[in-house]
Amino acid sequence: MRTITFEQIASAVEGLCIKANTQIGADVKEALEKAHAAEASPLGKTIIGHIMENNAIAETEIVPICQDTGMAVVFVTIGQEVFVEGGLTDAINEGVRRGYEKGYLRKSVVKDPLIRVNTGDNTPAVIHYDIVPGDKLHIMVAPKGFGSENMSQLKMFKPADGVEAIKKFVIEAVEKAGPNPCPPIVVGVGIGGTMEKASFLAKKALLRHIGHHSEKEHIAALEKELLEKINNLGIGPQGLGGNTTALTVNVETYPTHIAGLPCAVNINCHVARHTEIEL
Amino acid sequence: MKAVRLTTPLTQEALRQLKAGDTVLISGTIYTGRDAAHKRLVEALDRGEDLPFNVKDAVIYFVGPCPAKPGQVIGSAGPTSSYRMDTYSPRLIEQGLTGMIGKGLRGPAVVDAMKKHGCVYFVAIGGAGALMARSIKQAKVIAYDDLGTEAVRELVVEDFPVIVCIDAEGNNLYEQGRAQYQRA
């Protein structure tokens, strides 16, 4: 057994919340640079230039890239030989509380979805746990803005509908979202499992390094085809026209039932925040 | 692209010169408001009360800023998705609102009200909140303080960068821009 304290976890999460909200990932930076060079629309090119300038200001001045500093989505992989001194969930929420306060991040969480009073500290986080062998604790914080989150979709297809129905569904979701999720976007697709598993996979797909395709050949081919078709829609940077609508399409899959073909689409904006630590 | 310089208040005469696709630098006073504030503004109108600011020829910015760090006027302050204000915008346009700044699609009822009464929809760059905060020189909460980030603020801006997305004739850059770059 290896002991990790409440304070170690809270402190790590605090740092991750601030870092994720103020520093753009190297993969996103690189993808934006490529898009800037390739964008055909002069206005679209100018917009990508402004986005890059914004990211540089945020990193230098340690201020949020976007004012929607999101709901904190936390992915935890915990080795079964780890003993956490103090509650793990409490420690993560304490880290979120401190990070959002100390980082001057916007508190965007309401206590009840219908009564809608702000909790004032951006808690609770949405936390996903995965238990694995070993004695390590891996934490990833992915603050999720709702401009893009609100554009998500889920559909339970019949097995007979097949991959063509999935392609149509993903492209229509992006088309319907149009300018709302702040293109250029990252598209996460989850196929298989159950209803909630497909949604989880779509979220997880957003965290994959831009430029890394699926190891499964048929899925990698699907990702490339979807990206090309999405960029042919013409939506462009901020939806004002152009050939950069998405930076990447990432598809995650899981075994499913003989009767089903669940598919979820989760969209991220160009900020595509996530950062991680191993304790 | 040469930017049009615009100073608030935004009169009917000035807004008729603006065409979808124009890049604009706004200076002067603008007001903030998003979901919860809009709900309260329209409820105030329903009760026959005055609004907390003069809406005639005013420009409203759909934003919920981050808290200001010490030494900052305001935290990151990019636009929020405008469609969530579609329920309320026609009411404010009827009252004389002439400009809205946000991002994303607007519904047909909003566009109809814009054409009928004369109003322009500007878009700012979503996600570029750190960059946009630089054009905000003063910020003061003037109503609904209890709403926190959603409170109504009076902002003094200088060369605040936006793009005319839907003009008072209903020309829509989202449609025109996309049509130009769409490939079968």
Side-chain angles (χ1 to χ4, degrees):
Chain A
M1 268 315 199
R2 183 171 156 248
T3 300
I4 302 179
T5 65
F6 181 99
E7 187 49 39
Q8 277 175 289
I9 295 162
S11 165
V13 171
E14 173 191 320
L16 292 174
C17 288
I18 297 173
K19 188 179 171 198
N21 271 298
T22 56
Q23 285 182 39
I24 205 89
D27 57 331
V28 181
K29 257 188 210 170
E30 196 182 313
L32 285 170
E33 276 163 20
K34 275 189 193 160
H36 186 253
E39 178 52 57
S41 152
L43 179 59
K45 205 188 223 345
T46 304
I47 289 168
I48 299 173
H50 282 316
I51 289 171
M52 290 159 66
E53 193 187 342
N54 178 72
N55 295 344
I57 295 170
E59 188 167 339
T60 311
E61 297 182 8
I62 319 176
V63 295
I65 299 160
C66 173
Q67 77 292 334
D68 185 354
T69 50
M71 187 160 194
V73 182
V74 185
F75 292 84
V76 183
T77 307
I78 181 163
Q80 57 198 13
E81 290 160 42
V82 172
F83 173 72
V84 178
E85 209 176 72
L88 178 54
T89 301
D90 287 347
I92 290 167
N93 279 319
E94 177 60 21
V96 168
R97 193 172 288 123
R98 288 187 207 165
Y100 275 71
E101 189 58 33
K102 286 192 189 166
Y104 296 89
L105 309 178
R106 195 181 81 184
K107 289 87 181 175
S108 310
V109 175
V110 294
K111 189 173 181 180
D112 181 287
L114 297 179
I115 300 170
R116 308 199 71 82
V117 176
N118 201 300
T119 62
D121 60 9
N122 223 56
T123 67
V126 171
I127 309 171
H128 301 290
Y129 291 110
D130 193 15
I131 301 165
V132 296
D135 65 353
K136 298 274 192 286
L137 177 65
H138 181 271
I139 305 173
M140 180 184 273
V141 172
K144 189 66 174 78
F146 267 51
S148 56
E149 187 72 358
N150 278 349
M151 299 296 114
S152 306
Q153 297 214 28
L154 170 79
K155 188 137 185 176
M156 307 302 283
F157 289 103
K158 301 193 296 287
D161 295 329
V163 72
E164 289 309 315
I166 284 175
K167 285 183 205 167
K168 191 165 173 271
F169 175 59
V170 174
I171 291 162
E172 279 177 4
V174 171
E175 200 165 16
K176 203 173 166 201
N180 294 354
C182 296
I185 55 175
V186 170
V187 184
V189 181
I191 308 172
T194 49
M195 182 197 88
E196 85 286 4
K197 184 72 175 182
S199 296
F200 173 78
L201 292 172
K203 178 74 78 201
K204 209 173 156 198
L206 297 178
L207 311 176
R208 197 199 300 160
H209 197 90
I210 295 177
H212 288 186
H213 281 291
S214 172
E215 285 170 9
K216 295 172 191 157
E217 212 174 306
H218 68 298
I219 300 299
L222 177 64
E223 289 172 346
K224 287 171 192 163
E225 184 185 343
L226 285 171
L227 180 62
E228 192 186 332
K229 287 187 168 150
I230 286 168
N231 282 333
N232 284 345
L233 292 172
I235 294 169
Q238 295 295 312
L240 296 170
N243 52 3
T244 315
T245 302
L247 297 173
T248 189
V249 178
N250 295 341
V251 180
E252 293 288 333
T253 62
Y254 196 79
T256 190
H257 190 280
I258 48 172
L261 179 54
C263 179
V265 181
N266 197 190
I267 295 177
N268 216 347
C269 60
H270 55 84
V271 181
R273 294 165 290 207
H274 54 92
T275 188
E276 60 203 300
I277 196 167
E278 189 174 83
L279 296 176
Chain B
M1 271 175 288
K2 195 169 160 21
V4 178
R5 286 183 184 271
L6 188 84
T7 307
T8 60
L10 177 57
T11 62
Q12 287 291 329
E13 192 194 358
L15 74 84
R16 302 281 166 190
Q17 315 292 319
L18 299 171
K19 298 290 165 223
D22 287 349
T23 53
V24 178
L25 295 170
I26 301 179
S27 295
T29 300
I30 62 174
Y31 299 93
T32 77
R34 42 172 294 159
D35 310 55
H38 270 74
K39 185 165 186 272
R40 288 202 195 170
L41 291 171
V42 167
E43 283 167 358
L45 287 174
D46 286 344
R47 290 192 300 263
E49 293 168 8
D50 285 342
L51 296 182
F53 60 94
N54 183 6
V55 77
K56 173 99 171 62
D57 296 345
V59 175
I60 197 159
Y61 181 23
F62 308 141
V63 59
C66 282
K69 280 171 80 167
Q72 269 189 322
V73 168
I74 196 166
S76 294
T80 198
S81 303
S82 308
Y83 71 90
R84 296 195 315 270
M85 268 52 76
D86 280 5
T87 316
Y88 312 110
S89 291
R91 243 354 247 295
L92 298 178
I93 294 167
E94 281 167 24
Q95 299 292 314
L97 183 80
T98 48
M100 298 174 284
I101 307 169
K103 62 153 176 116
L105 302 166
R106 304 310 305 263
V110 178
V111 180
D112 285 349
M114 288 170 59
K115 288 197 280 191
K116 189 173 171 195
H117 301 281
C119 181
V120 173
Y121 175 50
F122 302 98
V123 295
I125 300 175
L131 178 72
M132 269 170 274
R134 288 195 161 179
S135 301
I136 301 172
K137 303 301 172 189
Q138 290 175 42
K140 180 172 73 173
V141 172
I142 56 164
Y144 316 145
D145 196 18
D146 62 298
L147 293 180
T149 186
E150 294 203 67
V152 173
R153 288 170 170 80
E154 187 183 271
L155 305 182
V156 176
V157 297
E158 208 174 281
D159 292 342
F160 188 84
V162 293
I163 299 154
V164 177
C165 184
I166 307 176
D167 62 30
E169 287 172 8
N171 298 304
N172 188 333
L173 185 60
Y174 283 143
E175 290 163 10
Q176 293 167 356
R178 188 175 164 195
Q180 200 182 336
Y181 291 95
Q182 190 163 19
R183 285 182 289 173

